């Protein structure tokens, strides 16, 4: 019998999907603190590059195969998320079940920046709807001047 909690090596990939206008992050396994910190350094670099280019921050994180964090890991995620993302950014996180979705909503509170989904299509729709709303406000603001 193997312990999948310990045996699941951490892995993350960050992809700039410029065509869709979304940063796609895939995470899986159990993340120890050094791996979490390295991931957030890499993630912050991509987010800052998008900010510098004037791109809206839209992120899809596939965490379906991510193992639960330790309390220290959870605190690291909370702190790094608060440091990386700002009001107006949108981060959709895919999780494996409705129970995990509910637990994550309770554990990670960052206002309207984060939301959790069990469907990739629902997550992408949420990101697109938010973008369309922002674009409509910009266009309306330009017309009003």
């Amino acid at each position: 019998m193997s312990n999948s909690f310990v045996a699941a090596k951490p892995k993350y990939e960050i992809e700039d999907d410029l065509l869709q206008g979304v940063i796609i992050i895939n995470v899986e396994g159990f993340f120890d603190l050094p791996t979490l910190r390295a991931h957030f350094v890499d993630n912050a670099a991509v987010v800052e590059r998008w900010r510098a280019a004037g791109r809206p921050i839209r992120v899809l994180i596939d965490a379906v195969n991510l193992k639960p964090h330790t309390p220290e890991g959870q605190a690291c995620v909370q702190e790094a998320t608060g440091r990386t993302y700002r009001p107006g950014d949108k981060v959709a996180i895919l999780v494996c079940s409705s129970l995990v979705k509910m637990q994550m909503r309770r554990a990670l509170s960052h206002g309207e920046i984060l939301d959790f989904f069990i469907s990739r299509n629902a997550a992408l729709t949420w990101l697109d709807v938010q973008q369309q709303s922002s674009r409509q406000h910009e266009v309306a603001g330009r017309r009003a001047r």
Side-chain angles (χ1 to χ4, degrees), residues 41-131:
V41 166
D42 292 345
N43 181 26
V46 173
V47 168
E48 287 308 312
R49 192 167 60 241
W50 279 52
R51 281 194 207 292
R55 296 180 180 278
I57 305 303
R58 294 172 46 219
V59 181
L60 176 65
I61 301 173
D62 185 338
V64 170
N65 295 312
L66 184 66
K67 301 298 180 187
H69 296 301
T70 63
E72 297 83 8
Q74 194 171 353
C76 177
V77 169
Q78 182 80 0
E79 187 273 328
T81 300
R83 187 179 60 241
T84 303
Y85 301 109
R86 300 177 186 162
D89 295 348
K90 295 293 176 184
V91 180
I93 303 175
L94 292 174
V95 295
C96 63
S97 70
S98 293
L99 176 62
V100 172
K101 177 178 159 179
M102 182 181 69
Q103 291 169 332
M104 294 296 286
R105 279 187 173 154
R106 195 171 40 238
L108 290 174
S109 58
H110 283 286
E112 295 180 8
I113 295 172
L114 295 177
D115 207 353
F116 300 88
F117 300 87
I118 53 175
S119 160
R120 184 180 191 92
N121 287 338
L124 289 170
T125 298
W126 180 76
L127 291 170
D128 287 340
V129 165
Q130 297 302 325
Q131 276 307 109

Side-chain angles (χ1 to χ4, degrees), residues 14-24 46-47 49-51 53-58 128 135:
I14 303 173
E15 172 190 342
D16 299 58
D17 188 335
L18 299 175
L19 187 60
Q20 288 190 27
V22 66
I23 299 167
I24 300 172
V46 173
V47 168
R49 192 167 60 241
W50 279 52
R51 281 194 207 292
R55 296 180 180 278
I57 305 303
R58 294 172 46 219
D128 287 340
R135 283 191 208 122

